[in-house]
Amino acid sequence: MARHLLGLEGTTREEIFYILDTAASFREISEREIKKVPTLRGKTVIGFFYEASTRTRMSFEIAAKRMSADFISLSASGSSLSKGETLLDTARNLAAMRPDGIILRHPSAGAPHFLAERVDCPIINAGDGAHEHPTQALLDLLTIREHRGTLDGLKVAIVGDILHSRVARSNLHALRALGADVRLVGPPTLLPRELRAWAEVTNNLAEGVRDTDVIMALRIQRERQGANFFPTLDEYARYFCLTEAAVRLAKPDVLIMHPGPINRGIEIASDVADGPYSVIMHQVTNGVALRMAVLFLLINRSREVAVPEVEANAQPATLRRKAG
Ligand code: CP
């Protein structure tokens, strides 16, 4: 395991499985009556969110607290950033307080990488601009593997605003590493050219979702769109909203996923989001276990560690490691 978690580009199959196996072993902690283990007692984690977040911020906080770490939350509006302090000065000041890890969400691609070179503690990317969102993709993989047992050979359609989606980029790298076939589906203006080398692309929703095992719908990121990429939201929805009719073209046991937040009736119909194939709430539940695993693996790297109690079917040998 590397010192930081900045992105999934270049991550190997073995590294991804190591994180997923660790996360799978942590799932049962959240089902206990007392949802707390002492694994990160005495550790301090800072959640530094420059952009709005519900799922990522809350699940990192819950994950840290379930492992007995102290979690301190900082947002742009409540920090001295609003007085003109730079990201680097803010981060240096936070690092001077000796946290054991900093989780950063930032609107600029590369901000976590910039910090990782300049502060002396693990940095976890919680979403940097339109670049990567590694923990979201890892929890997506955990959810697919939980339902399908494998990712090898699965056909996965990622539908929507690919251009502005850090979730799509992280998933594309990780799904390919694990042997899945990825199709990117959206209007031509929202399908970046550089990704066409790595996945099938189509502008036709029916073609894109046909015979797929997994469909991931993405939010239209209006806050990142400086130009008009399609005429109106109604028109976008007419061609790209994931409806029941579109889902019927996929495999009969297709998994419907969405990283959230959802724009109902724009990228996904309510009856699909809440329907029998939807695993959207499983994604959210798995987000806690996945983030527990990431905190555990990055923060506990200075000593030999063992997962406190593993599921009956987990492989303990994969969950033990030496100091990195
Ligand atoms: N999926 C996701 O990153 O959601 P939040 O923006 O609510 O954290």
Side-chain angles (χ1 to χ4, degrees):
M1 188 80 187
R3 177 158 167 69
H4 309 283
L5 179 59
L6 303 176
L8 297 182
E9 185 172 6
T11 311
T12 64
R13 186 180 173 90
E14 290 69 32
E15 287 166 330
I16 294 171
F17 279 136
Y18 183 52
I19 300 170
L20 299 189
D21 288 344
T22 308
S25 76
F26 281 133
R27 269 200 291 246
E28 62 87 21
I29 294 169
S30 295
E31 305 306 323
R32 295 181 189 177
E33 196 178 337
I34 308 292
K35 300 176 179 57
K36 212 169 182 83
V37 292
T39 316
L40 294 182
R41 191 165 50 205
K43 303 290 185 185
T44 305
V45 178
I46 294 176
F48 192 7
F49 281 74
Y50 268 62
E51 278 186 347
S53 169
T54 297
R55 280 145 290 268
T56 311
R57 183 174 182 154
M58 286 298 99
S59 63
F60 264 119
E61 180 161 355
I62 290 169
K65 288 180 172 170
R66 287 201 177 150
M67 305 195 83
S68 303
D70 294 312
F71 186 90
I72 317 297
S73 195
L74 183 67
S75 54
S77 61
S79 74
S80 288
L81 289 161
S82 57
K83 300 178 192 164
E85 189 171 51
T86 65
L87 170 65
L88 180 57
D89 281 334
T90 303
R92 277 189 179 142
N93 280 271
L94 295 179
M97 298 177 212
R98 303 285 180 261
D100 297 287
I102 297 178
I103 299 156
L104 179 68
R105 170 168 287 192
H106 197 279
S108 300
H113 307 67
F114 176 81
L115 284 199
E117 289 171 6
R118 290 165 177 83
V119 300
D120 185 28
C121 73
I123 302 291
I124 300 171
N125 182 359
D128 61 326
H131 180 223
E132 283 225 38
H133 192 348
T135 57
Q136 177 66 46
L138 288 166
L139 72 89
D140 294 342
L141 301 179
L142 186 64
T143 306
I144 298 171
R145 195 179 70 160
E146 184 185 358
H147 286 84
R148 289 288 171 273
T150 181
L151 285 108
D152 242 331
L154 293 187
K155 288 186 172 42
V156 181
I158 306 180
V159 182
D161 183 358
I162 313 285
L163 179 67
H164 300 100
S165 178
R166 51 199 177 203
V167 176
R169 275 176 188 71
S170 287
N171 263 300
L172 181 56
H173 296 307
L175 286 165
R176 279 169 48 88
L178 299 193
D181 289 333
V182 183
R183 271 184 219 161
L184 303 177
V185 187
T189 49
L190 294 176
L191 283 172
R193 281 194 178 281
E194 76 270 13
L195 299 187
R196 296 176 192 211
W198 296 335
E200 264 182 73
V201 298
T202 175
N203 310 130
N204 182 300
L205 179 63
E207 198 178 288
V209 301
R210 196 179 302 280
D211 296 327
T212 48
D213 299 279
V214 179
I215 306 173
M216 289 183 187
L218 298 177
R219 184 173 68 88
I220 286 293
Q221 301 201 23
R222 279 173 284 179
E223 75 277 18
R224 292 191 209 286
Q225 295 184 359
N228 292 324
F229 290 90
F230 44 81
T232 63
L233 282 176
D234 282 349
E235 178 142 338
Y236 177 85
R238 193 172 323 137
Y239 290 101
F240 293 102
C241 184
L242 191 60
T243 58
E244 273 194 337
V247 171
R248 277 197 291 274
L249 300 170
K251 289 197 177 152
D253 57 352
V254 65
L255 301 179
I256 303 296
M257 307 181 76
H258 193 303
I262 289 174
N263 291 307
R264 290 173 183 267
I266 298 175
E267 72 265 0
I268 189 166
S270 269
D271 50 6
V272 173
D274 305 328
Y277 307 109
S278 172
V279 292
I280 295 171
M281 288 303 122
H282 297 215
Q283 290 173 262
V284 178
T285 302
N286 277 333
V288 174
L290 187 282
R291 288 170 177 129
M292 287 169 81
V294 167
L295 293 174
F296 170 75
L297 292 169
L298 291 180
I299 291 175
N300 251 347
R301 55 182 289 123
S302 59
R303 58 185 178 201
E304 185 166 353
V305 288
V307 175
E309 282 184 33
V310 298
E311 286 176 342
N313 62 353
Q315 302 291 313
T318 65
L319 303 174
R320 301 182 72 88
R321 66 191 179 83
K322 289 263 180 207

